[in-house]
């Protein structure tokens, strides 16, 4: 059976002090079973303190650069993240793709570099409202997935966590119905099967993200092909974050 993985994405919110207080309070109230992975993706400045504070939660970065070092002002490398024991790295979030113009090719480089370093990528994909309304979701997501997995071995592919996040549902309060989310996640599993095989497609974890809240998470997680959630807004407050994990 696949594990469940629930990760909060804090985006550009909170201070170091708030991050440590949040983790300490959450962990004092948290009873995780061994089949569930829970954690938060925090801004770069908080990673080190968050990693030291967290005993039960996994800590994720929200981005990375794929080169090991060099003249890349403002970027953070994977060895830097590794040196402070970061566990996961979100790549290809729609805000990175849209606002910072990250391409599928860059995301593929990040995916490969993370796997080579032993860090776990949380690879985001998802379509805009326009693409959704044009009925082209699967075509769009397939293109993102095929490009992101180019050059990645079967063994490594199993380690990637895929997060399906329809852009029209991110931060809008407009959650995709569990049926829509299940349908796309099941298609993603088939795409992985076509690229690799049944073994990889059955092993890989697929999250849904987009306005997930404590009151809708169980309907989403009850879907066969959804193994977890990537959660923005509802992961910022202790009670709400704990509500996601109940
Ligand atoms: C996200 O940031 O990845 C996200 C899904 O945000 P929200 O839960 O606020 O829609």
């Amino acid at each position: 059976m696949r594990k469940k993985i629930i990760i909060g994405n804090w985006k550009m919110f909170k201070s170091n002090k708030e991050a440590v207080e949040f983790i300490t309070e959450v962990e004092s109230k948290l009873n995780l079973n061994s089949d569930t992975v829970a954690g938060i993706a925090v801004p770069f400045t908080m990673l080190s303190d968050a990693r030291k504070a967290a005993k039960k939660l996994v800590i994720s970065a929200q981005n990375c650069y794929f080169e090991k070092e060099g003249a890349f002002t403002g970027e953070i490398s994977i060895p830097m993240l590794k040196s402070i024991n970061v566990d996961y790295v979100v790549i290809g979030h729609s805000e990175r793709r849209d606002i910072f113009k990250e391409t599928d090719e860059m995301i593929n480089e990040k995916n490969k570099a993370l796997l080579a370093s032993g860090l776990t990528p949380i690879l985001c994909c998802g379509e805009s409202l326009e693409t959704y309304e044009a009925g082209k979701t699967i075509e769009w997501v397939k293109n993102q997935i095929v490009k992101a997995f180019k050059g990645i071995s079967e063994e490594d592919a199993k380690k990637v966590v895929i997060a399906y996040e329809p852009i029209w549902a991110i931060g809008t309060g407009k959650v995709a119905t569990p049926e829509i989310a299940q349908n796309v996640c099941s298609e993603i599993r088939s795409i992985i099967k076509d690229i690799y095989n049944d073994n990889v497609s059955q092993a890989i974890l697929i999250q849904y993200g987009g306005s997930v809240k404590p009151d809708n998470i169980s309907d989403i997680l009850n879907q066969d092909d959804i193994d977890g959630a990537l959660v923005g807004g509802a992961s910022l407050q202790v009670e709400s974050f704990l509500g996601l994990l109940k």
Side-chain angles (χ1 to χ4, degrees):
M1 219 181 74
R2 293 187 296 267
K3 288 192 179 219
K4 292 283 183 223
I5 175 161
I6 297 162
I7 302 288
N9 173 18
W10 279 3
K11 312 192 185 208
M12 201 173 70
F13 289 102
K14 292 195 190 287
S15 66
N16 265 28
K17 185 168 173 282
E18 287 167 334
V20 171
E21 284 169 0
F22 179 101
I23 292 166
T24 310
E25 191 179 346
V26 163
E27 293 208 345
S28 73
K29 297 178 178 168
L30 188 63
N31 246 333
L32 274 183
N33 66 42
S34 58
D35 293 334
T36 306
V37 176
I40 38 176
V42 303
F44 284 130
T45 49
M46 289 162 221
L47 280 169
S48 185
D49 284 353
R51 182 57 284 168
K52 284 180 200 145
K55 306 285 178 272
K56 304 179 192 170
L57 297 174
V58 297
I59 299 297
S60 175
Q62 298 175 9
N63 187 24
C64 65
Y65 195 55
F66 50 85
E67 296 288 358
K68 286 198 174 74
E69 59 183 8
F72 303 105
T73 303
E75 291 299 315
I76 304 285
S77 74
I78 295 165
M80 290 171 187
L81 297 175
K82 219 179 157 176
S83 74
I84 53 167
N85 301 316
V86 165
D87 309 291
Y88 290 75
V89 182
V90 176
I91 54 172
H93 192 280
S94 59
E95 288 151 18
R96 301 272 351 146
R97 293 179 189 258
D98 289 350
I99 305 170
F100 300 100
K101 309 295 170 218
E102 291 196 11
T103 63
D104 287 315
E105 288 68 30
M106 289 164 75
I107 293 155
N108 173 244
E109 292 297 340
K110 293 180 188 204
N111 205 10
K112 287 190 290 193
L114 282 167
L115 290 163
S117 304
L119 294 191
T120 305
I122 300 176
L123 165 72
C124 300
C125 60
E127 81 289 2
S128 65
L129 185 60
E130 200 186 350
T131 303
Y132 172 70
E133 286 178 345
K136 295 192 169 153
T137 297
I138 303 305
E139 193 184 314
W140 181 270
V141 167
K142 181 174 181 180
N143 181 51
Q144 289 181 322
I145 296 283
V146 167
K147 288 183 172 160
F149 280 88
K150 200 166 165 218
I152 289 174
S153 72
E154 190 181 317
E155 255 338 281
D156 275 347
K158 282 186 201 166
K159 299 173 192 159
V160 178
V161 177
I162 299 175
Y164 166 59
E165 299 205 304
I167 300 169
W168 48 270
I170 297 180
T172 57
K174 213 183 207 182
V175 63
T177 63
E179 292 72 28
I180 295 175
Q182 159 59 23
N183 178 44
V184 182
C185 291
S186 149
E187 290 287 348
I188 291 173
R189 223 176 271 293
S190 307
I191 295 163
I192 294 295
K193 184 176 170 187
D194 290 345
I195 305 173
Y196 296 97
N197 52 44
D198 200 39
N199 180 20
V200 178
S201 82
Q202 288 308 314
I204 204 161
L205 298 180
I206 306 179
Q207 298 176 304
Y208 166 79
S211 297
V212 174
K213 308 267 181 282
D215 63 4
N216 61 23
I217 192 166
S218 55
D219 285 346
I220 290 167
L221 295 191
N222 275 337
Q223 304 302 312
D224 286 351
D225 288 294
I226 304 182
D227 307 309
L230 185 58
V231 187
S235 70
L236 285 163
Q237 305 305 326
V238 169
E239 285 316 314
S240 169
F241 184 73
L242 286 169
L244 296 166
L245 302 175
K246 282 215 175 100

